[in-house]
Amino acid sequence: MRALLSGNEAIALGAWEAGVAVGCGYPGTPSTEILEALIGYPGLYTEWSVNEKVALEVGLGASIAGGRALVTMKHVGVNVAADPLFTSVYTGVNAGLVVVTADDPSMHSSQNEQDNRHYAVAAKLPMFEPSTPAEARLFTRWAFELSEQHDTPVFLRTTTRLSHSKGVVPEVDRTITPAKHPVGVDQNPPKYVMIPGHARVRRVEVEARLAELRRVVETHPANVVERRGGVGVITSGVPYSYVREVLPDASVLKLGIVHPLPEQLIRDFAASVETLYVVEELDPVIETQVRAWGLGCHGKDTFPAIGEFSPEVLRASLGLPQPGSVAAGDLEVPMRLPGLCAGCPHGHVFNVLRDRGLFVSGDIGCYSLGVLPPYRIMDTLVDMGASITMAHGMDIVLAQAGQTHGQRAHVSAVIGDSTFAHSGITGLLNAIWNKRDGLYVVLDNGTTAMTGAQENPLSGERMGHENSTHVDYVLLCRALGMPEQNVRIVDGNDTAAISAAVDELATLPGVKLLAAVGLCVMEAKELRKTGKLAEKKAWRELQLTAACRGVRTDA
Ligand code: SF4
C-alpha cells in the first residue's frame, strides 16, 4: 500500500522498518515530527532527552548495548551534540546509530543558517541526503545498514522543505515485525574507552574506514546518474527536484551520499558533459571538492549561497524566463509580524520588565518574539541557555566598571522551562558558584511550546504524556547554593504578583530566580480536545503551592 508521508514521517517509518530499538532527540524545527511519528510504532522506545548532547549519548549507549538507535535534532542541535559526535566516530558502534540533522535554509525557524554537511567532513562520518520522502524512508534503512557494516555513526541530513513536504511512499506495510539487532553489552575497552592510548589506535581506524567508505560510495545505489543532454548538473537533496523542473534536458548526478563524495563517479560524469553545474543550497561543499580535483564547474558563481532554493531561484540564476504566473513580488501582501498568541502568559512578564526599563538577555523559544512590537523588551538572543550566561558576563563587566548592585539590577535574563532544562541550569550553577548578581526569570508554561508542545523535565510528563517527575525550583536552587528567599514562584498571569516579585528580588544580593508559571494557550486548546485541560490546570496550580516538591502526586 502507498502512503502520503512527510519527510519526517518517512524517516520514522524507515527507522521502524530497520528495527530501531531507541529513538531520542530534542525537539527543534524542522526535526520534531520524526520522534512524534516514531512513538506511534510498536516495539520500540522513544524519549525527548533534555538536550541534543544527552540524546546522542543515549543513542550511542543503546547502540553499544545492541539496540539500533535513531537520534534526531535540528541543525544547531548538532553544535550541542558535537562533543560526543566527534568521539563516537572513533569508538564506532555496535548496532546501527543514525543521527538526523535537520537543516533550515532561509532560517524559517532558526537563529542561523549553518550547513551541517561541514560536520560530516570535520567529524569524518558518512552523510546521506534524501531528495524525497520515499528516499527519506529508504535512505534511513540504508543508513542503519551502512552504520553496522562500517562500524560508524551515520548522518542523515534533511532540510525544512523535505522534512515538512509530503510525498508518496510506496509499499508501506505496518503489519510486519522488523528484525532486531541482537542485544548484549559489548565490553571492549580498547574500542569504547577513549583514553589517549586507545584513541590513537582508533584514529588510524577512522582514516582506514573513511578510505573504505570512499570506495563504497562509488557504486552505492544512493548515488544515481541520469544521462540526457550535454549540460550536466551535480546536485543532492531537495534541489534535485528543482533541477529536474528547470533543466529537464540536463544530465544529472544525484548524490544521495554527500560525504564522502564519489571522486571517480564525479570525474566520469564531468568528463561526459560539456558544461557542469553544481546546484547545492548554502555553502559550496560539493563544489569546493570538485574544484579541488581540478574539475571546472559553475556553482556559487551562478547560484546564491544564502537562502533556500526554488525553481524560481534556479531560473533567475540561469537567466531563464519565469513561467507565466503572477510573480509573488508583484502582489500587494500586507506585512505581518509574528507575535505571541492572544492570551499567552509571557506577555505579563514582558510588560513588567518593559515598565522597569530592564535590559533583557533573551533565549530560544516563543518568548524570543518579545523583541518585536508591542513589547520590544529583548536585547540579546544567541543560543540555547545563553540568556543566563550572557547576563552573567555582563554583570562581571558592569561590576568591574564600578556599578553598584542596584545599578547592575538593570540586567535581567528570561528563559523558557524547556530551555532552562536544556542548558540553563548549568549557567545558573555557574553564576551562583561564581558569586554573581542577577535576576533570571523562567517563563514556565510546562511545555516546549515553540515546537508544538513537547514534554520536558518541567512538564511533570515524559514523552507520550506519561506522568513523570518534575524539577522543583526551590529545591533545585537550594541544592545549587542559592538562599531560598532568592527564589520566587508566581502565577504567570498575575501581573501584580510578578511586579512585586521582580521589585523585591531586585533588592536582594546574589543570583535570584523567578519562575512565572502559566499555561500555553495553544497547548490548552489541544488539551481541551482530549479532555485533559482540567488535569493540567490543576497540576500548574499545584506548582504554585508549597505542596509541590519534585514529584507529581499522581505520577
Ligand atoms: S504557542 Fe504558547 S507559549 Fe508560544 S506564543 Fe502561543 S501561547 Fe505563548
Side-chain angles (χ1 to χ4, degrees):
M1 190 177 72
R2 293 182 300 169
L4 190 64
L5 300 179
S6 70
N8 283 348
E9 291 166 337
I11 291 169
L13 172 65
W16 172 68
E17 291 173 331
V20 75
V22 174
C24 51
Y26 184 79
T29 308
S31 69
T32 311
E33 300 83 5
I34 300 171
L35 290 189
E36 290 184 330
L38 191 63
I39 194 176
Y41 290 96
L44 50 82
Y45 169 91
T46 53
E47 75 168 38
W48 291 123
S49 305
V50 294
N51 63 39
E52 295 86 351
K53 174 181 183 289
V54 170
L56 183 47
E57 290 158 353
V58 169
L60 180 59
S63 161
I64 291 172
R68 283 187 167 185
L70 181 77
V71 185
T72 68
M73 58 196 72
K74 67 182 291 170
H75 62 329
V76 289
V78 178
N79 302 337
V80 180
D83 194 356
L85 175 73
F86 276 69
T87 305
S88 69
V89 177
Y90 281 48
T91 65
V93 302
N94 179 15
L97 174 61
V98 175
V99 181
V100 178
T101 167
D103 291 12
D104 189 17
S106 285
M107 296 171 276
H108 297 286
S109 187
S110 304
Q111 66 269 41
N112 76 32
E113 199 180 39
Q114 69 189 51
D115 185 332
N116 275 7
R117 292 177 298 170
H118 293 295
Y119 268 115
V121 178
K124 300 175 184 285
L125 72 162
M127 174 180 271
F128 283 86
E129 182 168 27
S131 299
T132 63
E135 284 189 355
R137 177 255 206 124
L138 182 61
F139 287 13
T140 302
R141 298 197 318 220
W142 283 349
F144 277 109
E145 289 168 12
L146 196 77
S147 174
E148 286 171 12
Q149 287 162 359
H150 296 276
D151 188 17
T152 178
V154 174
F155 260 136
L156 183 81
R157 179 183 187 244
T158 73
T159 56
T160 305
R161 199 58 49 183
L162 174 61
S163 285
H164 290 168
S165 297
K166 296 228 174 191
V168 174
V169 177
E171 297 171 18
V172 175
D173 181 358
R174 296 175 202 264
T175 65
I176 63 168
T177 303
K180 297 277 186 183
H181 188 280
V183 170
V185 176
D186 184 9
Q187 287 185 288
N188 188 350
K191 185 170 186 291
Y192 295 122
V193 180
M194 285 302 96
I195 57 173
H198 293 168
R200 287 187 201 107
V201 176
R202 296 298 300 174
R203 173 80 183 85
V204 177
E205 190 67 32
V206 169
E207 292 303 323
R209 176 201 300 147
L210 203 51
E212 177 59 22
L213 285 166
R214 288 194 182 100
R215 281 189 284 279
V216 168
V217 297
E218 294 288 351
T219 55
H220 196 285
N223 295 326
V224 177
V225 175
E226 300 171 359
R227 297 218 178 273
R228 296 186 191 87
V231 172
V233 179
I234 300 173
T235 189
S236 68
V238 170
Y240 165 75
S241 304
Y242 308 148
V243 169
R244 294 293 296 115
E245 180 176 334
V246 173
L247 297 170
D249 298 326
S251 295
V252 176
L253 169 53
K254 179 164 72 70
L255 296 171
I257 298 176
V258 292
H259 186 260
L261 291 172
E263 180 177 354
Q264 194 56 51
L265 188 64
I266 288 174
R267 284 186 182 280
D268 292 346
F269 182 76
S272 72
V273 297
E274 293 151 20
T275 308
L276 181 63
Y277 290 98
V278 178
V279 178
E280 55 187 328
E281 283 176 330
L282 305 183
D283 296 341
V285 175
I286 299 171
E287 178 190 348
T288 300
Q289 183 58 71
V290 168
R291 288 185 185 278
W293 287 328
L295 303 173
C297 64
H298 295 288
K300 294 305 169 188
D301 59 351
T302 304
F303 305 101
I306 298 172
E308 199 175 28
F309 283 1
S310 66
E312 290 74 25
V313 168
L314 262 59
R315 283 192 201 97
S317 301
L318 292 164
L320 298 174
Q322 301 288 358
S325 59
V326 178
D330 296 338
L331 295 173
E332 294 274 333
V333 180
M335 169 111 164
R336 286 190 307 170
L337 288 174
L340 298 180
C341 305
C344 175
H346 297 340
H348 299 281
V349 171
F350 289 172
N351 285 332
V352 170
L353 299 181
R354 186 189 52 196
D355 289 350
R356 282 150 184 77
L358 298 185
F359 182 100
V360 177
S361 178
D363 224 304
I364 309 285
C366 287
Y367 44 92
S368 58
L369 296 172
V371 71
L372 299 175
Y375 302 107
R376 298 184 193 274
I377 56 97
M378 198 160 285
D379 298 290
T380 59
L381 186 156
V382 176
D383 68 293
M384 296 283 283
S387 55
I388 291 176
T389 40
M390 288 178 66
H392 174 162
M394 291 170 198
D395 183 64
I396 296 168
V397 173
L398 296 177
Q400 284 174 335
Q403 288 203 5
T404 63
H405 166 263
Q407 289 170 314
R408 284 181 284 128
H410 175 66
V411 176
S412 67
V414 295
I415 185 169
D417 48 305
S418 187
T419 311
F420 182 66
H422 178 284
S423 47
I425 293 173
T426 43
L428 177 66
L429 171 61
N430 191 50
I432 296 168
W433 178 46
N434 284 297
K435 301 182 175 180
R436 300 315 315 169
D437 282 330
L439 171 62
Y440 308 148
V441 183
V442 182
L443 303 168
D444 181 345
N445 51 23
T447 190
T448 314
M450 187 169 70
T451 47
Q454 291 75 34
E455 304 83 353
N456 70 58
L458 279 297
S459 301
E461 295 175 330
R462 65 173 304 283
M463 191 166 192
H465 296 297
E466 181 187 344
N467 288 353
S468 185
T469 55
H470 175 272
V471 174
D472 179 271
Y473 290 110
V474 175
L475 293 181
L476 171 71
C477 291
R478 283 181 58 193
L480 296 182
M482 189 192 292
E484 186 162 342
Q485 68 267 23
N486 284 24
V487 189
R488 296 283 190 286
I489 303 173
V490 296
D491 183 343
N493 288 301
D494 186 340
T495 304
I498 298 166
S499 300
V502 166
D503 292 340
E504 194 184 334
L505 289 172
T507 65
L508 300 176
V511 170
K512 283 83 59 177
L513 187 124
L514 171 64
V517 175
L519 194 60
C520 164
V521 294
M522 291 305 286
E523 190 197 17
K525 210 164 118 186
E526 293 305 311
L527 291 172
R528 190 173 288 118
K529 287 182 202 162
T530 55
K532 292 190 165 176
L533 181 57
E535 186 189 347
K536 180 101 185 193
K537 272 186 170 170
W539 164 234
R540 299 262 82 194
E541 279 161 20
L542 184 64
Q543 284 177 266
L544 296 172
T545 73
C548 168
R549 281 295 177 267
V551 182
R552 287 184 67 155
T553 51
D554 54 352

Short mmCIF file of all heavy atoms in Angstrom, two decimals, residues 13-33:
data_model
loop_
_atom_site.label_atom_id
_atom_site.label_comp_id
_atom_site.label_asym_id
_atom_site.label_seq_id
_atom_site.Cartn_x
_atom_site.Cartn_y
_atom_site.Cartn_z
N LEU A 13 9.21 5.94 9.60
CA LEU A 13 8.83 4.65 9.02
C LEU A 13 10.07 3.82 8.70
O LEU A 13 10.15 2.63 9.05
CB LEU A 13 8.01 4.89 7.74
CG LEU A 13 7.70 3.65 6.90
CD1 LEU A 13 6.80 2.67 7.66
CD2 LEU A 13 7.06 4.05 5.56
N GLY A 14 11.05 4.46 8.06
CA GLY A 14 12.28 3.75 7.71
C GLY A 14 13.01 3.23 8.94
O GLY A 14 13.55 2.11 8.93
N ALA A 15 13.01 4.02 10.00
CA ALA A 15 13.69 3.60 11.23
C ALA A 15 12.98 2.40 11.85
O ALA A 15 13.63 1.44 12.31
CB ALA A 15 13.75 4.76 12.22
N TRP A 16 11.66 2.46 11.86
CA TRP A 16 10.91 1.33 12.43
C TRP A 16 11.15 0.07 11.60
O TRP A 16 11.39 -1.01 12.15
CB TRP A 16 9.41 1.67 12.47
CG TRP A 16 8.56 0.50 12.85
CD1 TRP A 16 8.50 -0.12 14.07
CD2 TRP A 16 7.66 -0.22 11.99
NE1 TRP A 16 7.62 -1.17 14.03
CE2 TRP A 16 7.08 -1.25 12.77
CE3 TRP A 16 7.28 -0.07 10.67
CZ2 TRP A 16 6.15 -2.14 12.24
CZ3 TRP A 16 6.35 -0.95 10.14
CH2 TRP A 16 5.80 -1.98 10.93
N GLU A 17 11.08 0.21 10.28
CA GLU A 17 11.32 -0.95 9.41
C GLU A 17 12.73 -1.51 9.61
O GLU A 17 12.96 -2.71 9.41
CB GLU A 17 11.13 -0.55 7.94
CG GLU A 17 9.68 -0.25 7.57
CD GLU A 17 9.55 0.32 6.17
OE1 GLU A 17 10.50 0.97 5.69
OE2 GLU A 17 8.49 0.12 5.56
N ALA A 18 13.66 -0.62 9.98
CA ALA A 18 15.04 -1.06 10.20
C ALA A 18 15.22 -1.72 11.57
O ALA A 18 16.33 -2.10 11.93
CB ALA A 18 15.99 0.13 10.07
N GLY A 19 14.14 -1.80 12.34
CA GLY A 19 14.23 -2.46 13.64
C GLY A 19 14.83 -1.59 14.72
O GLY A 19 15.46 -2.09 15.66
N VAL A 20 14.61 -0.27 14.61
CA VAL A 20 15.20 0.63 15.61
C VAL A 20 14.65 0.28 17.00
O VAL A 20 13.47 -0.04 17.16
CB VAL A 20 14.92 2.10 15.23
CG1 VAL A 20 13.48 2.49 15.50
CG2 VAL A 20 15.86 3.04 15.97
N ALA A 21 15.53 0.30 17.98
CA ALA A 21 15.13 -0.01 19.36
C ALA A 21 14.89 1.25 20.16
O ALA A 21 14.04 1.28 21.05
CB ALA A 21 16.21 -0.86 20.04
N VAL A 22 15.66 2.31 19.87
CA VAL A 22 15.59 3.55 20.65
C VAL A 22 15.55 4.74 19.70
O VAL A 22 16.38 4.85 18.79
CB VAL A 22 16.81 3.68 21.59
CG1 VAL A 22 16.81 5.03 22.29
CG2 VAL A 22 16.83 2.55 22.60
N GLY A 23 14.58 5.63 19.92
CA GLY A 23 14.54 6.91 19.22
C GLY A 23 14.59 8.02 20.25
O GLY A 23 13.79 8.02 21.19
N CYS A 24 15.54 8.93 20.12
CA CYS A 24 15.63 10.00 21.10
C CYS A 24 16.11 11.27 20.41
O CYS A 24 16.67 11.23 19.32
CB CYS A 24 16.55 9.63 22.25
SG CYS A 24 18.17 9.03 21.75
N GLY A 25 15.88 12.40 21.05
CA GLY A 25 16.28 13.67 20.46
C GLY A 25 15.77 14.82 21.29
O GLY A 25 15.16 14.63 22.35
N TYR A 26 16.04 16.02 20.81
CA TYR A 26 15.49 17.22 21.44
C TYR A 26 14.65 17.92 20.37
O TYR A 26 15.08 18.04 19.22
CB TYR A 26 16.60 18.15 21.94
CG TYR A 26 16.05 19.35 22.67
CD1 TYR A 26 15.63 19.23 23.99
CD2 TYR A 26 15.89 20.57 22.03
CE1 TYR A 26 15.07 20.30 24.66
CE2 TYR A 26 15.34 21.66 22.70
CZ TYR A 26 14.93 21.51 24.01
OH TYR A 26 14.37 22.57 24.68
N PRO A 27 13.42 18.37 20.73
CA PRO A 27 12.57 18.98 19.71
C PRO A 27 13.19 20.23 19.12
O PRO A 27 13.75 21.06 19.85
CB PRO A 27 11.27 19.29 20.46
CG PRO A 27 11.58 19.19 21.91
CD PRO A 27 12.77 18.31 22.05
N GLY A 28 13.11 20.35 17.82
CA GLY A 28 13.63 21.54 17.15
C GLY A 28 13.18 21.53 15.71
O GLY A 28 13.42 20.54 15.00
N THR A 29 12.53 22.59 15.28
CA THR A 29 12.05 22.68 13.91
C THR A 29 13.24 22.74 12.96
O THR A 29 14.16 23.51 13.21
CB THR A 29 11.20 23.96 13.75
OG1 THR A 29 10.21 23.95 14.77
CG2 THR A 29 10.56 24.04 12.38
N PRO A 30 13.31 21.91 11.91
CA PRO A 30 12.21 21.10 11.37
C PRO A 30 12.30 19.60 11.68
O PRO A 30 11.77 18.80 10.92
CB PRO A 30 12.40 21.32 9.87
CG PRO A 30 13.89 21.38 9.69
CD PRO A 30 14.41 22.06 10.93
N SER A 31 12.91 19.19 12.78
CA SER A 31 13.11 17.76 13.02
C SER A 31 12.04 17.12 13.90
O SER A 31 11.92 15.90 13.97
CB SER A 31 14.48 17.54 13.69
OG SER A 31 14.46 18.05 15.02
N THR A 32 11.24 17.93 14.59
CA THR A 32 10.44 17.45 15.72
C THR A 32 9.52 16.27 15.39
O THR A 32 9.36 15.34 16.19
CB THR A 32 9.59 18.61 16.28
OG1 THR A 32 10.43 19.74 16.47
CG2 THR A 32 8.93 18.24 17.58
N GLU A 33 8.92 16.30 14.21
CA GLU A 33 7.87 15.31 13.91
C GLU A 33 8.41 13.90 13.71
O GLU A 33 7.63 12.95 13.62
CB GLU A 33 7.07 15.74 12.67
CG GLU A 33 6.37 17.07 12.79
CD GLU A 33 7.29 18.26 12.51
OE1 GLU A 33 8.45 18.03 12.12
OE2 GLU A 33 6.84 19.40 12.69
#
